[in-house]
């Protein structure tokens, strides 16, 4: 693993959360993670609702922007619903920004 030149740090309820914007790992690049391994958006949701995320559920960013951790943007979903929503979003993104395929005649 390469040495990270740049780290972003957030303090929430006495716990330090960091992210590595230059990381190749999308989870380290896009999400703040605390020293105990919990993601910041999960900690914010749990603090607001005063309960833990139930087994088999995840906290979803409604607007698909992982750095927008406002409580209005966070919702509790089952893993299955979250996977379905993410796949639909990725499909729509692919349709909106199709990859260009170039044809080359090799003869």
């Amino acid at each position: 693993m390469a040495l990270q030149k740049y780290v972003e740090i957030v303090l929430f309820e006495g716990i330090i959360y960091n992210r590595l914007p230059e990381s190749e790992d999308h989870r380290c690049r896009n999400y703040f993670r605390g020293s105990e391994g919990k993601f910041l958006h999960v900690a914010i949701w749990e603090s607001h609702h005063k309960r833990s995320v139930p087994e088999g559920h995840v906290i979803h960013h409604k607007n698909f922007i992982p750095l927008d951790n406002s409580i209005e943007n966070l919702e509790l979903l089952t893993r299955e619903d979250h996977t379905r929503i993410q796949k639909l979003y990725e499909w729509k993104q692919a349709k909106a920004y199709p990859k260009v395929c170039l044809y080359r005649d090799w003869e």
Side-chain angles (χ1 to χ4, degrees), residues 53-70:
V53 174
E55 187 74 29
H57 290 73
V58 297
I59 302 304
H60 170 67
H61 291 91
K62 293 179 191 178
N63 65 4
F64 297 93
I65 300 172
L67 295 178
D68 180 357
N69 291 314
S70 61

Side-chain angles (χ1 to χ4, degrees), residues 77-89:
L77 294 176
T78 64
R79 287 192 186 281
E80 294 80 18
D81 285 345
H82 186 252
T83 299
R84 183 179 48 78
I85 288 170
Q86 289 293 124
K87 295 289 183 192
L88 181 60
Y89 176 76

Side-chain angles (χ1 to χ4, degrees), residues 44 46 63 89 103:
I44 290 170
E46 289 179 342
N63 65 4
Y89 176 76
Y103 172 76

Side-chain angles (χ1 to χ4, degrees), residues 21-59:
E22 299 172 348
S23 176
E24 292 180 13
D25 181 338
H26 85 280
R27 293 183 126 201
C28 292
R29 183 177 61 246
N30 294 326
Y31 299 95
F32 284 91
R33 187 185 299 241
S35 55
E36 77 290 350
K38 185 178 286 187
F39 289 112
L40 177 60
H41 64 286
V42 174
I44 290 170
W45 187 93
E46 289 179 342
S47 176
H48 180 79
H49 292 281
K50 299 186 182 359
R51 65 183 179 121
S52 297
V53 174
E55 187 74 29
H57 290 73
V58 297
I59 302 304

